[in-house]
Amino acid sequence: METLLLLLFIFTLAAFLGFELISKVPSQLHTPLMSGSNAISGITIVGAMIATAHIGGEAAKWIGFGALVLATINVVGGYVVTDRMLGMFKKKDK
Amino acid sequence: MRDIAIQIAYIVSAGIFIMGIKMLGSATTARRGNRLSAIGMLLAVIITLFDQGIVSAGIQGYAWIAGGIALGALIGGILAKRVQMTGMPEMVALLNGFGGLASLLVAWAEYATLPALGLIPVSGEMRFTLVVSALTVIVGGITFTGSLVAYLKLSGKMSGRPFLFAGQKAINFVVMLVLAAATVALALALKDYSATAFYTLIGGAFLLGVLGVIPIGGGDMPVVISLLNSLSGVAASFAGFIIGNTVLIVAGCLVGASGLILTVIMCKAMNRTIGNVLFGGFGAAASGSGGAAEQGEMKAVSTEDAYYILEAARSVVVIPGYGMAVAQAQHVVKELGELLENNGAEIRYAIHPVAGRMPGHMNVLLAEADVPYEQLVEMDNINPIMPTVDVAIVIGANDVVNPAAATDPSSPIYGMPIINAHEAKTVFALKRGKGTGFSGLENKLFFMPNTRMIYGDAKATVADLVSQMKG
């Protein structure tokens, strides 16, 4: 139960931090910000890794494997897409 | 000892994500921020390889993980490299949907490994895990199918019009009740009904995602994607509670909260509330409800005549919209801009905060075409000088230049800030045909005395103007 409370504590603090992080973002950055944070939400890849290696049965393993593939697509695709978009902005900064 | 090292690495990872998101919010640091956050992700993935459960699964476990990551990285990499800049919005929607489904599957995999119910007493903590599992499935499932519908709408594989039917809200409400009941059933951990409850949760969540997004018009999709992005973060965070993993909880929650704020910012740019976007069925009933029919008629002009006016213009403002993206016209638009500049005109591009299908959509496209950064002007800075502009060229934009938003209280978009294109001395509106746009609204601008319509494909029209300028 104590671990649980600790996790809830972390969750609450992270929520407040998330609210504070974004304040005045120029509208041109809304899309990259959305897609960049979308890549971060692929953090579920960590959970998928643990689920895949689980020794809890064949079904769980395959479900975990599916999660792992999808989460990796989300992570890799998300970062590459965002980088490509931001690369466009960069070019004419010179 | 190893556990402590892993936890510390997770804390570092979370710190990197926080810095990454912060840096993404500013133009000069955004790219570095994104790469930094990718490093944080890599760190989290590598350190997870030392997780007790994974290590004890041995070489076979590692083989499965390596296979899954290799396959996912290949697919993700190809998707991301291949997508055109114009297709970015739907790509983000698709990737986001995958993330939501991944979280749902993590919950499912964990549920599948639970010891058979009835054999052991159900502890309070286990009940908590079951409830969080239900929430993960609900949020992850809604994110998945909702994002898929958004993807289909944005890519044109499905009509962008709001899809409304009688009793829609009632059905949504019933589905929500079923989901709540299934959550309770799951938490009670009844031996015979647990699996049924779990599958009901999956099915109900998928259904609610579809039902939630189909009534929303294509023009509001940016807001929807932003909200679904926030939800996929929440799903990841909940999944973190199931497996007791701190980095999932923190990173997921950060995305959830920052995504929600971003959604609110985007709604404000349209002078709407989230509730209005989600439940308004915006644009569905618009045609005909605008009161009196539009006065006057739309006056067309040929590209030859348009050329003479453009040639004499000293200051030109280009107002791009989604139509420019569809026609892939950004490169010829840039060429036209350069020719006008050489001709002595001052050229600017006025960017409405919600032009296109994603905020910043137009910036990305024009940047791709190498339009100088200084020529991109935000709405608030262009409107005061609009009356001094000789020619405003509206390329595939519609609602964001509709004066009804400022003048007609009965209009559904009344109150939305617009670019005052109608104040320019002459307005050229490039448009595919005479129909109403994505939102289904008549545009008063097109009927104004100083407006001239140029019908046809935007790219062809602009290319035509370019060849005449060169002529």
Side-chain angles (χ1 to χ4, degrees), chain B residues 188-272:
Chain B
L188 290 174
L190 302 168
K191 188 171 154 237
D192 297 333
Y193 301 106
S194 181
T196 314
F198 197 84
Y199 300 135
T200 306
L201 281 169
I202 296 179
F206 282 174
L207 189 60
L208 197 55
V210 174
L211 290 174
V213 178
I214 48 169
I216 302 172
D220 285 336
M221 276 307 131
V223 180
V224 174
I225 296 181
S226 177
L227 190 63
L228 288 169
N229 175 40
S230 165
L231 283 183
S232 76
V234 173
S237 191
F238 285 164
F241 275 102
I242 303 175
I243 56 173
N245 187 300
T246 46
V247 75
L248 249 75
I249 295 176
V250 173
C253 193
L254 281 175
V255 174
S258 62
L260 192 60
I261 292 293
L262 184 59
T263 311
V264 171
I265 293 177
M266 283 159 58
C267 285
K268 273 191 189 146
M270 298 193 289
N271 198 28
R272 318 246 311 268

Side-chain angles (χ1 to χ4, degrees), chain B residues 162-382:
Chain B
F163 181 78
L164 298 167
F165 55 88
Q168 199 156 21
K169 280 176 186 160
I171 292 176
N172 288 355
F173 186 66
V174 170
V175 176
M176 281 182 219
L177 279 185
V178 170
L179 286 173
T183 304
V184 173
L186 196 71
L188 290 174
L190 302 168
K191 188 171 154 237
D192 297 333
Y193 301 106
S194 181
T196 314
F198 197 84
Y199 300 135
T200 306
L201 281 169
I202 296 179
F206 282 174
L207 189 60
L208 197 55
V210 174
L211 290 174
V213 178
I214 48 169
I216 302 172
D220 285 336
M221 276 307 131
V223 180
V224 174
I225 296 181
S226 177
L227 190 63
L228 288 169
N229 175 40
S230 165
L231 283 183
S232 76
V234 173
S237 191
F238 285 164
F241 275 102
I242 303 175
I243 56 173
N245 187 300
T246 46
V247 75
L248 249 75
I249 295 176
V250 173
C253 193
L254 281 175
V255 174
S258 62
L260 192 60
I261 292 293
L262 184 59
T263 311
V264 171
I265 293 177
M266 283 159 58
C267 285
K268 273 191 189 146
M270 298 193 289
N271 198 28
R272 318 246 311 268
T273 62
I274 294 186
N276 180 263
V277 169
L278 293 182
F279 308 115
F282 188 71
S287 42
S289 74
E294 287 304 331
Q295 299 295 310
E297 56 180 326
M298 298 196 255
K299 290 171 287 292
V301 69
S302 68
T303 49
E304 286 81 23
D305 295 335
Y307 160 67
Y308 289 117
I309 299 173
L310 271 181
E311 204 209 4
R314 293 300 91 189
S315 92
V316 177
V317 169
V318 174
I319 304 162
Y322 188 57
M324 184 183 81
V326 172
Q328 298 269 7
Q330 64 269 32
H331 294 282
V332 279
V333 167
K334 186 239 175 185
E335 213 184 333
L336 179 66
E338 275 182 346
L339 288 168
L340 287 168
E341 227 178 346
N342 295 340
N343 189 37
E346 190 186 4
I347 172 110
R348 273 165 299 204
Y349 298 83
I351 314 288
H352 191 278
V354 292
R357 287 295 170 269
M358 281 183 113
H361 197 176
M362 294 301 121
N363 301 74
V364 172
L365 289 183
L366 292 172
E368 187 202 8
D370 265 334
V371 170
Y373 192 67
E374 312 79 58
Q375 293 184 353
L376 306 184
V377 188
E378 295 207 7
M379 175 176 66
D380 294 338
N381 297 327
I382 198 78

Side-chain angles (χ1 to χ4, degrees), chain A residues 1-4 7-94, chain B residues 10 17-18 21-22 24-27 30-31 34-35 37-38 41 45 48-49 51 54 57 60 64-65 67-69 71-73 75-77 80-81 83 85 88 91-92 95-96 98-99 101-103 105-106 108-110 113 125 128 225-226 229 232-233 236-237 241 243 245-251 253-255 257-258 260-262 265-266 358-360 363-364 367-368 370-371 373:
Chain A
M1 211 62 204
E2 255 173 50
T3 5
L4 199 60
L7 293 181
L8 280 173
F9 184 64
I10 294 173
F11 179 83
T12 314
L13 286 184
F16 277 99
L17 186 57
F19 283 128
E20 292 302 317
L21 270 181
I22 309 295
S23 47
K24 277 185 187 154
V25 182
S27 64
Q28 58 166 41
L29 280 176
H30 284 177
T31 298
L33 180 64
M34 202 191 306
S35 110
S37 62
N38 171 40
I40 296 178
S41 71
I43 186 68
T44 201
I45 188 174
V46 166
M49 287 168 71
I50 294 171
T52 304
H54 238 308
I55 19 175
E58 203 62 17
K61 186 168 262 183
W62 278 106
I63 297 169
F65 185 77
L68 184 56
V69 174
L70 289 168
T72 312
I73 295 176
N74 187 190
V75 168
V76 175
Y79 281 123
V80 175
V81 158
T82 312
D83 194 62
R84 273 186 65 195
M85 267 192 274
L86 291 170
M88 303 273 162
F89 290 136
K90 188 95 185 182
K91 215 161 38 180
K92 25 127 201 108
D93 271 353
K94 62 187 176 219
Chain B
Y10 280 163
F17 288 144
I18 293 167
I21 293 180
K22 182 92 197 150
L24 269 173
S26 149
R31 198 173 196 193
N34 184 52
R35 290 182 170 176
S37 113
M41 185 66 72
V45 167
T48 306
L49 291 173
D51 176 271
I54 291 179
Q60 215 205 344
W64 278 73
I65 288 174
I69 289 183
L71 185 58
I75 299 172
K81 284 278 178 202
V83 62
M85 276 299 146
M88 279 304 171
M91 181 51 64
V92 174
L95 292 171
N96 187 50
F98 287 162
L101 185 58
S103 291
L105 291 178
V106 168
W108 192 0
E110 288 301 314
T113 59
E125 221 153 306
F128 177 83
I225 296 181
S226 177
N229 175 40
S232 76
S237 191
F241 275 102
I243 56 173
N245 187 300
T246 46
V247 75
L248 249 75
I249 295 176
V250 173
C253 193
L254 281 175
V255 174
S258 62
L260 192 60
I261 292 293
L262 184 59
I265 293 177
M266 283 159 58
M358 281 183 113
N363 301 74
V364 172
E368 187 202 8
D370 265 334
V371 170
Y373 192 67

